[in-house]
Amino acid sequence: MSTMEMLDPSREKASAVGVELATFNNAKDLELVKQAAEDEHAQTFVQAIRQHPTAVLWSLLLSTSIIMEGYDIVLISSFFAQPAFSERYGSFDPGSDSYQISASWQNGLINAATVGTIIGAFLNGYLTPSYGYRKILLFALVLITGFIALPFSAPNLPVLLVGQFLCGIPWGIFATMAPAYASEVCPLALRGYLTVYVNLCWAIGQLISAGVQAGFAGGTGMWSYRIPFAIQWVWPVPLFFILWFAPESPWYLVRREEYQKAEQNLIRLGCAPSKSKQTLAMMVHTNELEKEMNTGTSYLDCFHGVDRYRTEIACMAFAAQPFCGSALASTPTYFFVQAGLPVSISFRLAVGSLGLAAVGTIIAWFMMSRLGRRTLYLWGLGILTALLLVVGIISASTIHDSVAGNYAQASLLLVWEFVYYMTVGPICYAIITEVSSTRLRNESISLSRICYYVAQIASNAAEPYLINPTAANLQGKTAFVWGAFAFIFFVWTFFRLPETKDRTYEELDIMFLQGVKARDLDSYRSDIHGVGNRRAASYA
């Protein structure tokens, strides 16, 4: 090493990067890239599982962190129907002859966590591209371990609200990191399954929460709501020690031009050593192609050129979730109570609905590989619109006060939950990870999740006032409101949502660049490594 290199660390770093680039110069060889793409398309689901078991394992483990957010979202809303919680934190309502948490405080408690998740999601879009998935994940696990203490010991509603807000920050990190990591460590044949698994973790968290709540629904003391809060400590501590050994995303390392480490992690994730160079070649080639397309790595770049359309798709696909009726279904216990069912039966039905959610997500795995993302998402919204319309009609009819009418609304809401978790709920996660460019994946997913949270705040702010007996008291007629929004998103999906099934990231880059219409993307074929590269070069 020369004297100048010893005195100037930046020159030493630049020299090291230059050596890495020279070593992996063959990564730009199109023959390697073509072979890697062909292998990706030829690989079956079973072959991918056998060849990449460690990638599957690490993706599943990291996605498990989502269980915590799903658990608490149902937990806090279900508490509104628990007599012990309402008596401790609420006030007596003569009209219903019971203790109630006011609509404003319901809004505050639910939306405090959502505001926290917005901050967490936004931070993740900055932090993960700079420091990597592993470090930020471990940091978030430490935060959530400490923040849980606040809602657990909250003496009043303001402290509980602050606790929900702070817990929301690491939840926002988990929610945006898990699908991005799954999409980057797994091959094409597993990409859809493991990104959709994120939604299953959400459903599992909700199911566990509903089960815990059902067990403590009849409690009369403070432990009937403190123990459910304490159960949240079950996840972060063991996950921290397990995920300490998780491999970093090879795509993250490619973006940082650390090609040797990227290849090592590819092998660690199950890539055969004999094929690691061609897989790395495809990744580097995709990254260089996106550079030629002027794709940067900042939030602002999400709104430039073709990436603006890709950001629109990710954001709208996620925003549809709260507006298509999940604001109503995310508080099933409270809805069932207000619809006229007994509290004990309402809690049991809530558990049943979330059990259907888990089953629906598993069914979505099989449907997704055959029908594709666009078809499932589009017709899922259509069916949800029809179900909400029927719920509203029953509530507005003369039978809504009868036992049969109450159970009819509850049954239809269960069907809604099942359909949602077969279509819109899980498929969204595959869509948001596939439509974004690789260089903007963290930023795009973070923005889409922020749009989801903003939509959730709006819908959660409206729902308590629509259904609460101390406010509008519309009961099941709130389904008309969400049915109208579901239809609007159905129309958007028909014209704007493309099919991304069975496409490598480079193929998607080229097809978005060539301006293929959303309805034509499924059948579109082109010479990706020939015409595509010339178009990318001319675009730059």
Side-chain angles (χ1 to χ4, degrees):
M1 183 181 297
S2 66
T3 304
M4 287 298 293
E5 287 177 322
M6 293 176 66
L7 293 175
D8 188 352
S10 63
R11 289 189 59 180
E12 181 180 348
K13 180 179 178 180
S15 177
V17 171
V19 171
E20 278 197 322
L21 283 168
T23 302
F24 288 95
N25 191 46
N26 63 338
K28 295 185 178 180
D29 182 72
L30 283 181
E31 289 304 316
L32 281 175
V33 176
K34 288 181 180 179
Q35 186 59 52
E38 290 171 3
D39 289 348
E40 285 265 279
H41 284 295
Q43 192 176 52
T44 65
F45 172 77
V46 175
Q47 290 172 338
I49 289 286
R50 290 175 177 173
Q51 295 173 19
H52 300 269
T54 51
V56 174
L57 176 64
W58 287 117
S59 176
L60 295 180
L61 286 171
L62 192 145
S63 297
T64 302
S65 61
I66 297 293
I67 291 176
M68 288 182 279
E69 185 183 10
Y71 178 92
D72 188 82
I73 292 299
V74 173
L75 185 70
I76 195 65
S77 60
S78 295
F79 276 147
F80 301 151
Q82 187 190 72
F85 183 86
S86 296
E87 187 174 348
R88 174 66 180 83
Y89 293 107
S91 55
F92 187 76
D93 174 43
S96 61
D97 194 31
S98 63
Y99 283 89
Q100 294 280 340
I101 305 294
S102 68
S104 58
W105 271 110
Q106 287 186 27
N107 272 331
L109 291 173
I110 293 174
N111 291 329
T114 305
V115 172
T117 53
I118 290 175
I119 295 173
F122 190 78
L123 287 174
N124 187 56
Y126 273 114
L127 297 176
T128 298
S130 299
Y131 300 101
Y133 291 89
R134 179 177 168 274
K135 291 179 181 178
I136 301 306
L137 174 66
L138 296 176
F139 174 67
L141 288 170
V142 171
L143 289 181
I144 192 64
T145 303
F147 290 158
I148 290 171
L150 279 175
F152 170 76
S153 59
N156 50 48
L157 284 174
V159 174
L160 181 59
L161 184 143
V162 172
Q164 289 295 107
F165 166 75
L166 292 176
C167 286
I169 295 174
W171 289 337
I173 293 175
F174 299 143
T176 49
M177 180 180 292
Y181 185 82
S183 70
E184 293 196 354
V185 301
C186 299
L188 177 62
L190 299 178
R191 191 174 67 198
Y193 294 96
L194 291 174
T195 51
V196 165
Y197 173 76
V198 172
N199 190 77
L200 180 59
C201 289
W202 180 282
I204 290 172
Q206 292 179 322
L207 178 60
I208 293 172
S209 180
V212 170
Q213 277 287 70
F216 287 93
T220 57
M222 66 177 182
W223 293 109
S224 60
Y225 51 85
R226 280 196 171 182
I227 290 177
F229 276 129
I231 289 174
Q232 293 180 97
W233 275 308
V234 168
W235 290 281
V237 176
L239 274 179
F240 179 90
F241 291 104
I242 293 171
L243 294 175
W244 180 272
F245 302 98
E248 187 54 80
S249 162
W251 282 98
Y252 164 76
L253 295 170
V254 165
R255 289 189 288 270
R256 294 178 63 86
E257 299 183 350
E258 298 179 22
Y259 301 128
Q260 290 178 333
K261 289 182 180 179
E263 185 178 17
Q264 291 169 2
N265 279 12
L266 280 171
I267 295 172
R268 188 179 171 193
L269 289 165
C271 182
S274 60
K275 295 186 177 182
S276 61
K277 289 246 183 333
Q278 69 185 40
T279 302
L280 179 62
M282 181 174 63
M283 295 168 65
V284 174
H285 188 266
T286 302
N287 188 56
E288 293 300 316
L289 175 63
E290 291 182 1
K291 285 182 179 179
E292 291 178 358
M293 293 164 58
N294 296 325
T295 299
T297 57
S298 71
Y299 275 118
L300 288 177
D301 291 310
C302 291
F303 302 98
H304 291 161
V306 71
D307 288 302
R308 181 169 55 248
Y309 174 39
R310 301 173 85 161
T311 302
E312 175 204 328
I313 296 169
C315 291
M316 289 292 285
F318 235 148
Q321 287 191 340
F323 281 121
C324 72
S326 62
L328 183 67
S330 64
T331 56
T333 306
Y334 193 70
F335 174 82
F336 294 146
V337 170
Q338 300 308 318
L341 298 179
V343 173
S344 59
I345 293 178
S346 296
F347 273 104
R348 294 190 186 100
L349 284 174
V351 174
S353 71
L354 294 169
L356 288 175
V359 174
T361 303
I362 295 172
I363 293 174
W365 281 339
F366 298 96
M367 296 172 64
M368 175 181 60
S369 62
R370 291 166 176 79
L371 301 178
R373 284 67 158 145
R374 173 183 162 86
T375 301
L376 274 179
Y377 198 88
L378 176 67
W379 292 109
L381 282 170
I383 296 171
L384 295 178
T385 301
L387 288 170
L388 290 168
L389 179 63
V390 175
V391 171
I393 291 173
I394 292 174
S395 180
S397 68
T398 56
I399 66 169
H400 80 280
D401 284 331
S402 67
V403 174
N406 292 337
Y407 277 99
Q409 292 179 70
S411 299
L412 285 170
L413 197 64
L414 292 177
V415 175
W416 184 99
E417 193 97 16
F418 188 54
V419 172
Y420 175 85
Y421 277 98
M422 282 195 298
T423 56
V424 176
I427 301 305
C428 175
Y429 288 93
I431 292 170
I432 63 169
T433 57
E434 292 175 340
V435 297
S436 60
S437 63
T438 62
R439 290 175 59 78
L440 288 172
R441 178 168 294 122
N442 287 287
E443 291 84 355
S444 178
I445 291 176
S446 294
L447 283 174
S448 69
R449 191 67 180 177
I450 289 170
C451 283
Y452 166 84
Y453 289 135
V454 171
Q456 189 178 58
I457 288 176
S459 58
N460 285 343
E463 179 61 19
Y465 288 102
L466 293 172
I467 197 173
N468 198 295
T470 63
N473 195 25
L474 291 179
Q475 300 178 332
K477 292 186 285 294
T478 58
F480 283 132
V481 177
W482 306 122
F485 279 109
F487 179 73
I488 292 171
F489 279 97
F490 173 84
V491 174
W492 173 87
T493 300
F494 181 80
F495 289 105
R496 300 292 285 173
L497 182 66
E499 179 57 72
T500 57
K501 183 174 78 75
D502 296 332
R503 301 289 191 182
T504 65
Y505 292 128
E506 185 182 16
E507 289 170 347
L508 290 169
D509 283 341
I510 295 299
M511 286 186 280
F512 275 111
L513 178 61
Q514 293 180 335
V516 182
K517 291 183 179 179
R519 286 171 287 172
D520 299 332
L521 201 62
D522 184 33
S523 58
Y524 187 80
R525 298 291 182 269
S526 69
D527 179 7
I528 295 298
H529 302 291
V531 177
N533 286 334
R534 291 194 295 273
R535 290 291 301 274
S538 64
Y539 184 88

